[in-house]
Amino acid sequence: MKRFLLSVCIVCLGLVNAMAKSQGDSTIASRLSLQPSNPVSGQSLTLTYNAKGGPLGGMEKLVAIAWLYDNYRWQVTDVALDNVGDNVWRGSINLPADCALLAIKIQPTFSTQPVAIDTGDGQFLYRVGSSAHRAMPGNFVGWGLTRKPSLNFSIPDFFPKDYKEISDKAMMFWIDLETKHFQNKWQNYFNVIKSVLENMSKDNSTGAVNNLAEKLKKVNPMSEEDMLNLAFTYDIDLNRPAQADSVRKQIIKKYPHGILARRQRLTELGNMRLDDKSFLKAAWKLRKDFPIQQAYTTKAEDSHFFLYDNFYRRLTSILFKQKAYDKLIEILPDMNFQMLADAFIHCPKQAMKFNEDPKTYRRVAKAMIDEMEAKADNAEENLSGISLSPTQVAWQNKLELNFFKAVYTELCRRAGAWQDGVDAFESISISPRTNVDDLGNEAYITCLRQLGQNAKADTVLLAAARGGKLTANLLKDVKAYYVAHYPNDANGFDNWLASLKPDADKQKLVARVKAEMVNEPYPAFGLGEMLAPGVNSNDFKKDEIVILDFWATWCAPCVAA
């Protein structure tokens, strides 16, 4: 009997691999090879990518992003690749113990908008077996899910745009295979089964979904996620609110500090019209009863984690308004990077807009910056799901953090904290730093001059001009620098300023203008002006170059330009 079952597993896994090979050109799939060729869960795997003839041939750097179907959930991770010569790249990955599938995307950098990618047209997808050469839980349903992206349980943007996904009947075939091999695991993909049943039956799916719900109801023991799925199905799919409420009461009783209890408490607090004092009292109790660190551990199952965003936005705003800075700093470790970014925007940055004295709140702004710095790489608190890899999340976080550091530099300038302003700006992680923010550039240069570092300030000023990140004041400073250093220049200021830009940057700009902004059709239009007769497109002459500059009346650099 055991030999028969093993034979069935091997035949089915052979079917999976055969399906993979039949999906496309084998020469495309061969660009990526694995060692061992049949991946095994819980073991290390070496990837070798031959870029010759592919979309990434000749690239100076390549990286890999890997999706792992682990215990019926997709995870995403990064894989570093080394150039081993002759356009061949190699890296390794450790597969989780419960991994069933592996999908690979190769691209030049970890940018979220790479110039090119290679997934083998969706063929860089591999089954992962057990050490006993048997199927892993998730092998079959995960394979089907990957081939049917419209169900939204799969990898984003893995297949080419013209990819034709499998049918609902084919998806049900893979579900049936999974259920036959792993009879006690089906509740892990309950929502997948429900979605396929609804697709197949359309308006007549109530009976099938009801049978599925009754089957889930008999699972013992039921996890909180199972019970939440059951309550949702009764409420939304079957329109039985009384039964849904009954299940929710059971959830609260069984999991008094679980996902639903936390969700209800946050919702109640958000809906209550409390004054600030009453809200703070309720907030401290909620933090004690439902520590957010526990919520991070169940974020994959919690579709309402955003309620914490709303909660901490109001809590930080009240504490900042009350100047309860010690209390505000105390709760910063609770918050993930995006909550901290939101708090920085709505508290110190907002206060700067209204010209409040920065000396009073500079330390809380610095505490927010420091906490964001500490959490920029924290993948455990990443709420982007599988759409971004850990490195991509960190990259985006650091872009935001660099901007906030430039804002904090301006805050330090206003507070007269010259050295702190210099330190903040020089901690910006990209090069050149002067490409981040024009107001930050002005603040940094001011801090340098206040510290007597005029030569360095001039160098920074020219770098800002080179990158086109100048405020109206900095533009005046650049003109003054030009007059002082080039009094006999016959070419004029505009030509000198243009000469500061690297030729490569100018060529890129020209190419972009030609590609995106020349001979673009437009409808006839007329524009009113504050200080002139107006503009009418009918007055444009043939072959005349027309530049439309849209700007806001409150934008000082725009007005100055």
PDB file of all heavy atoms in Angstrom, residues 119-134:
ATOM      1  N   THR A 119      11.239  36.348 -15.890  1.00  0.00           N
ATOM      2  CA  THR A 119      10.622  35.246 -15.146  1.00  0.00           C
ATOM      3  C   THR A 119      10.538  34.000 -16.034  1.00  0.00           C
ATOM      4  O   THR A 119       9.824  33.063 -15.707  1.00  0.00           O
ATOM      5  CB  THR A 119       9.205  35.620 -14.676  1.00  0.00           C
ATOM      6  OG1 THR A 119       8.378  35.830 -15.834  1.00  0.00           O
ATOM      7  CG2 THR A 119       9.200  36.867 -13.810  1.00  0.00           C
ATOM      8  N   GLY A 120      11.284  34.043 -17.151  1.00  0.00           N
ATOM      9  CA  GLY A 120      11.152  32.952 -18.112  1.00  0.00           C
ATOM     10  C   GLY A 120       9.760  32.887 -18.699  1.00  0.00           C
ATOM     11  O   GLY A 120       9.251  31.800 -18.975  1.00  0.00           O
ATOM     12  N   ASP A 121       9.123  34.074 -18.840  1.00  0.00           N
ATOM     13  CA  ASP A 121       7.717  34.130 -19.276  1.00  0.00           C
ATOM     14  C   ASP A 121       6.830  33.283 -18.371  1.00  0.00           C
ATOM     15  O   ASP A 121       5.869  32.641 -18.826  1.00  0.00           O
ATOM     16  CB  ASP A 121       7.568  33.677 -20.731  1.00  0.00           C
ATOM     17  CG  ASP A 121       8.140  34.688 -21.705  1.00  0.00           C
ATOM     18  OD1 ASP A 121       8.334  35.845 -21.298  1.00  0.00           O
ATOM     19  OD2 ASP A 121       8.399  34.312 -22.865  1.00  0.00           O
ATOM     20  N   GLY A 122       7.166  33.271 -17.083  1.00  0.00           N
ATOM     21  CA  GLY A 122       6.392  32.510 -16.115  1.00  0.00           C
ATOM     22  C   GLY A 122       6.878  31.087 -15.918  1.00  0.00           C
ATOM     23  O   GLY A 122       6.272  30.319 -15.160  1.00  0.00           O
ATOM     24  N   GLN A 123       7.997  30.727 -16.559  1.00  0.00           N
ATOM     25  CA  GLN A 123       8.490  29.351 -16.465  1.00  0.00           C
ATOM     26  C   GLN A 123       9.477  29.137 -15.312  1.00  0.00           C
ATOM     27  O   GLN A 123       9.837  27.988 -15.024  1.00  0.00           O
ATOM     28  CB  GLN A 123       9.148  28.928 -17.780  1.00  0.00           C
ATOM     29  CG  GLN A 123       8.166  28.851 -18.943  1.00  0.00           C
ATOM     30  CD  GLN A 123       8.816  28.315 -20.197  1.00  0.00           C
ATOM     31  OE1 GLN A 123       9.221  27.169 -20.251  1.00  0.00           O
ATOM     32  NE2 GLN A 123       8.924  29.170 -21.207  1.00  0.00           N
ATOM     33  N   PHE A 124       9.908  30.220 -14.677  1.00  0.00           N
ATOM     34  CA  PHE A 124      10.824  30.048 -13.541  1.00  0.00           C
ATOM     35  C   PHE A 124      10.015  29.721 -12.279  1.00  0.00           C
ATOM     36  O   PHE A 124      10.085  30.408 -11.258  1.00  0.00           O
ATOM     37  CB  PHE A 124      11.655  31.308 -13.323  1.00  0.00           C
ATOM     38  CG  PHE A 124      12.602  31.646 -14.449  1.00  0.00           C
ATOM     39  CD1 PHE A 124      13.223  32.893 -14.504  1.00  0.00           C
ATOM     40  CD2 PHE A 124      12.873  30.735 -15.461  1.00  0.00           C
ATOM     41  CE1 PHE A 124      14.095  33.208 -15.524  1.00  0.00           C
ATOM     42  CE2 PHE A 124      13.742  31.047 -16.506  1.00  0.00           C
ATOM     43  CZ  PHE A 124      14.354  32.289 -16.542  1.00  0.00           C
ATOM     44  N   LEU A 125       9.227  28.685 -12.391  1.00  0.00           N
ATOM     45  CA  LEU A 125       8.364  28.216 -11.306  1.00  0.00           C
ATOM     46  C   LEU A 125       8.645  26.737 -11.088  1.00  0.00           C
ATOM     47  O   LEU A 125       8.606  25.949 -12.049  1.00  0.00           O
ATOM     48  CB  LEU A 125       6.890  28.422 -11.674  1.00  0.00           C
ATOM     49  CG  LEU A 125       5.842  27.874 -10.708  1.00  0.00           C
ATOM     50  CD1 LEU A 125       5.877  28.627  -9.386  1.00  0.00           C
ATOM     51  CD2 LEU A 125       4.445  27.958 -11.330  1.00  0.00           C
ATOM     52  N   TYR A 126       8.928  26.363  -9.825  1.00  0.00           N
ATOM     53  CA  TYR A 126       9.426  25.018  -9.570  1.00  0.00           C
ATOM     54  C   TYR A 126       8.696  24.378  -8.393  1.00  0.00           C
ATOM     55  O   TYR A 126       8.453  25.029  -7.370  1.00  0.00           O
ATOM     56  CB  TYR A 126      10.934  25.048  -9.276  1.00  0.00           C
ATOM     57  CG  TYR A 126      11.715  25.776 -10.340  1.00  0.00           C
ATOM     58  CD1 TYR A 126      11.974  27.144 -10.236  1.00  0.00           C
ATOM     59  CD2 TYR A 126      12.157  25.102 -11.471  1.00  0.00           C
ATOM     60  CE1 TYR A 126      12.674  27.815 -11.222  1.00  0.00           C
ATOM     61  CE2 TYR A 126      12.853  25.769 -12.474  1.00  0.00           C
ATOM     62  CZ  TYR A 126      13.112  27.130 -12.344  1.00  0.00           C
ATOM     63  OH  TYR A 126      13.790  27.796 -13.323  1.00  0.00           O
ATOM     64  N   ARG A 127       8.409  23.086  -8.559  1.00  0.00           N
ATOM     65  CA  ARG A 127       7.860  22.303  -7.465  1.00  0.00           C
ATOM     66  C   ARG A 127       8.977  21.965  -6.486  1.00  0.00           C
ATOM     67  O   ARG A 127      10.116  21.681  -6.883  1.00  0.00           O
ATOM     68  CB  ARG A 127       7.251  21.002  -8.011  1.00  0.00           C
ATOM     69  CG  ARG A 127       6.687  20.099  -6.932  1.00  0.00           C
ATOM     70  CD  ARG A 127       6.543  18.673  -7.423  1.00  0.00           C
ATOM     71  NE  ARG A 127       7.815  18.069  -7.747  1.00  0.00           N
ATOM     72  CZ  ARG A 127       8.623  17.507  -6.849  1.00  0.00           C
ATOM     73  NH1 ARG A 127       8.311  17.519  -5.570  1.00  0.00           N
ATOM     74  NH2 ARG A 127       9.759  16.951  -7.235  1.00  0.00           N
ATOM     75  N   VAL A 128       8.659  22.001  -5.209  1.00  0.00           N
ATOM     76  CA  VAL A 128       9.601  21.611  -4.157  1.00  0.00           C
ATOM     77  C   VAL A 128       9.056  20.355  -3.492  1.00  0.00           C
ATOM     78  O   VAL A 128       7.897  20.326  -3.063  1.00  0.00           O
ATOM     79  CB  VAL A 128       9.778  22.734  -3.115  1.00  0.00           C
ATOM     80  CG1 VAL A 128      10.744  22.299  -2.016  1.00  0.00           C
ATOM     81  CG2 VAL A 128      10.269  24.014  -3.786  1.00  0.00           C
ATOM     82  N   GLY A 129       9.875  19.299  -3.438  1.00  0.00           N
ATOM     83  CA  GLY A 129       9.445  18.045  -2.841  1.00  0.00           C
ATOM     84  C   GLY A 129      10.017  17.856  -1.447  1.00  0.00           C
ATOM     85  O   GLY A 129      10.805  18.668  -0.942  1.00  0.00           O
ATOM     86  N   SER A 130       9.609  16.778  -0.805  1.00  0.00           N
ATOM     87  CA  SER A 130      10.144  16.448   0.517  1.00  0.00           C
ATOM     88  C   SER A 130      11.424  15.643   0.364  1.00  0.00           C
ATOM     89  O   SER A 130      11.770  15.182  -0.725  1.00  0.00           O
ATOM     90  CB  SER A 130       9.112  15.633   1.301  1.00  0.00           C
ATOM     91  OG  SER A 130       9.018  14.320   0.766  1.00  0.00           O
ATOM     92  N   SER A 131      12.133  15.450   1.467  1.00  0.00           N
ATOM     93  CA  SER A 131      13.372  14.673   1.429  1.00  0.00           C
ATOM     94  C   SER A 131      13.109  13.220   1.061  1.00  0.00           C
ATOM     95  O   SER A 131      14.006  12.507   0.623  1.00  0.00           O
ATOM     96  CB  SER A 131      14.078  14.757   2.784  1.00  0.00           C
ATOM     97  OG  SER A 131      13.210  14.298   3.813  1.00  0.00           O
ATOM     98  N   ALA A 132      11.865  12.770   1.231  1.00  0.00           N
ATOM     99  CA  ALA A 132      11.488  11.396   0.861  1.00  0.00           C
ATOM    100  C   ALA A 132      10.941  11.336  -0.563  1.00  0.00           C
ATOM    101  O   ALA A 132      10.347  10.324  -0.961  1.00  0.00           O
ATOM    102  CB  ALA A 132      10.448  10.870   1.842  1.00  0.00           C
ATOM    103  N   HIS A 133      11.147  12.413  -1.321  1.00  0.00           N
ATOM    104  CA  HIS A 133      10.698  12.493  -2.722  1.00  0.00           C
ATOM    105  C   HIS A 133       9.182  12.392  -2.842  1.00  0.00           C
ATOM    106  O   HIS A 133       8.653  11.869  -3.825  1.00  0.00           O
ATOM    107  CB  HIS A 133      11.368  11.409  -3.564  1.00  0.00           C
ATOM    108  CG  HIS A 133      12.859  11.445  -3.507  1.00  0.00           C
ATOM    109  ND1 HIS A 133      13.599  12.459  -4.059  1.00  0.00           N
ATOM    110  CD2 HIS A 133      13.747  10.596  -2.919  1.00  0.00           C
ATOM    111  CE1 HIS A 133      14.878  12.256  -3.835  1.00  0.00           C
ATOM    112  NE2 HIS A 133      14.998  11.124  -3.141  1.00  0.00           N
ATOM    113  N   ARG A 134       8.481  12.875  -1.855  1.00  0.00           N
ATOM    114  CA  ARG A 134       7.027  12.902  -1.889  1.00  0.00           C
ATOM    115  C   ARG A 134       6.535  14.336  -2.065  1.00  0.00           C
ATOM    116  O   ARG A 134       7.283  15.289  -1.908  1.00  0.00           O
ATOM    117  CB  ARG A 134       6.450  12.296  -0.613  1.00  0.00           C
ATOM    118  CG  ARG A 134       6.765  10.822  -0.453  1.00  0.00           C
ATOM    119  CD  ARG A 134       6.061  10.248   0.748  1.00  0.00           C
ATOM    120  NE  ARG A 134       6.329   8.816   0.891  1.00  0.00           N
ATOM    121  CZ  ARG A 134       5.800   8.060   1.836  1.00  0.00           C
ATOM    122  NH1 ARG A 134       4.972   8.580   2.732  1.00  0.00           N
ATOM    123  NH2 ARG A 134       6.087   6.768   1.900  1.00  0.00           N
TER     124      ARG A 134
END
